[in-house]
Amino acid sequence: MKNIKLKIPKEECKENICPVPLELIPNIVKGISKITYDEKSGIAEIIYDENVLTQEQLISEIIKFSYKVLGEANG
């Protein structure tokens, strides 16, 4: 398992359509074990199986859920 921290701004509902909460994405996407999101800092800590998803595929999956990924968070 691999751990990565990504900068992901909080997404608001638009026209009664709300994004899937980041914490629920592991229930939907194979290979993602856990996502912990800190709304204050806008940083998501993600644990995923690098044998199932590459880092690029992981980011692509998050973008599919209407989130913007601004890059890796340091620290």
Side-chain angles (χ1 to χ4, degrees):
M1 294 299 213
K2 192 166 181 181
N3 191 335
I4 186 172
K5 290 183 181 179
L6 298 173
K7 291 184 229 169
I8 303 175
K10 182 170 173 15
E11 290 296 324
E12 301 296 330
C13 298
K14 295 175 187 139
E15 298 176 16
N16 295 328
I17 300 172
C18 298
V20 172
L22 284 165
E23 291 84 357
L24 295 181
I25 293 175
N27 298 331
I28 302 166
V29 179
K30 185 179 179 185
I32 301 176
S33 297
K34 185 176 181 181
I35 298 177
T36 307
Y37 184 66
D38 182 348
E39 286 187 25
K40 191 174 178 183
S41 66
I43 294 176
E45 186 170 351
I46 304 166
I47 299 171
Y48 70 100
D49 186 343
E50 68 272 26
N51 295 317
V52 177
L53 292 171
T54 65
Q55 183 174 321
E56 291 77 21
Q57 289 169 323
L58 168 73
I59 291 169
S60 177
E61 289 293 333
I62 292 170
I63 290 170
K64 285 182 192 175
F65 288 96
S66 301
Y67 288 95
K68 293 182 184 88
V69 177
L70 302 180
E72 283 192 62
N74 297 327

